[in-house]
Amino acid sequence: MRQPPSGGRPAPGKYVVRDGTRSVAVEVLADGTVRVEGAEHPFRIARSQPGCYRVSDGAHSWEVFVAGPADARFVASGGRAGVVEIDPASTRPRRKARPGGGDGTMAPMPGTVIKIVVSVGQEVNAGDVLLTLEAMKMELPLRSPRDGVVTAIRCKEGELVPPGATLIDLA
């Protein structure tokens, strides 16, 4: 999601939250409430500090941590992690790919590379796991943003990588 305005609310719009192979439609309304597919009641979200949000359903509240590029945010809460993507039907444009490693092949946050599952020359499909990072005591799979061929692996297992570092190049 786009960075929230100074009031701490996420930008209004339609999103898809993907957690592995499961996807859930989410709509952020202008008043800050959030409708989640399958949930009976809307949620309220308020930014508590940079990258951290307090989510409430009226009866319970919990913290959600967010990091990464605007069009594919990594979201973590309660020991689980997922990816928030802008719904293709949204009127907001997707960020353009950057040469040599954009489109989600960069580290979304600082972390340690714990497993590389591809090799140079390997063909991958959109959504395939390329590598796994460990960040904030959680494992975050880095998935291929599109079909392609791995042209370079710019990290190694056990390496600590900074946010924005290009980890895998695809052609």
Side-chain angles (χ1 to χ4, degrees):
M1 289 187 221
R2 289 189 335 216
Q3 278 298 93
S6 59
R9 287 189 268 186
K14 292 183 180 182
Y15 302 88
V16 173
V17 177
R18 183 178 47 137
D19 179 10
T21 59
R22 187 175 145 235
S23 295
V24 177
V26 174
E27 182 177 10
V28 178
L29 305 175
D31 68 356
T33 58
V34 178
R35 290 187 186 145
V36 178
E37 175 185 11
E40 195 171 319
H41 302 288
F43 298 93
R44 282 207 118 0
I45 299 177
R47 186 169 139 183
S48 57
Q49 58 183 326
C52 183
Y53 298 84
R54 174 67 59 192
V55 178
S56 173
D57 64 3
H60 302 91
S61 65
W62 56 95
E63 285 190 322
V64 176
F65 300 93
V66 180
D71 62 345
R73 296 261 189 220
F74 281 89
V75 178
S77 182
R80 295 193 58 163
V83 177
V84 176
E85 299 175 332
I86 295 175
D87 186 309
S90 174
T91 57
R92 281 190 288 284
R94 291 185 67 91
R95 190 179 70 187
K96 291 187 178 176
R98 287 179 288 227
D103 263 358
T105 59
M106 296 185 305
M109 64 181 69
T112 302
V113 177
I114 58 172
K115 186 174 184 182
I116 299 172
V117 296
V118 296
S119 56
V120 173
Q122 182 177 339
E123 289 187 21
V124 295
N125 296 313
D128 287 352
V129 174
L130 304 173
L131 60 83
T132 304
L133 286 178
E134 181 178 57
M136 300 183 335
K137 297 184 181 180
M138 291 178 291
E139 291 186 7
L140 301 172
L142 183 65
R143 298 179 183 277
S144 176
R146 63 183 183 280
D147 294 349
V149 176
V150 176
T151 58
I153 298 173
R154 300 178 179 274
C155 58
K156 60 184 178 198
E157 290 181 3
E159 181 179 359
L160 179 62
V161 295
T166 299
L167 304 176
I168 305 277
D169 287 342
L170 296 176

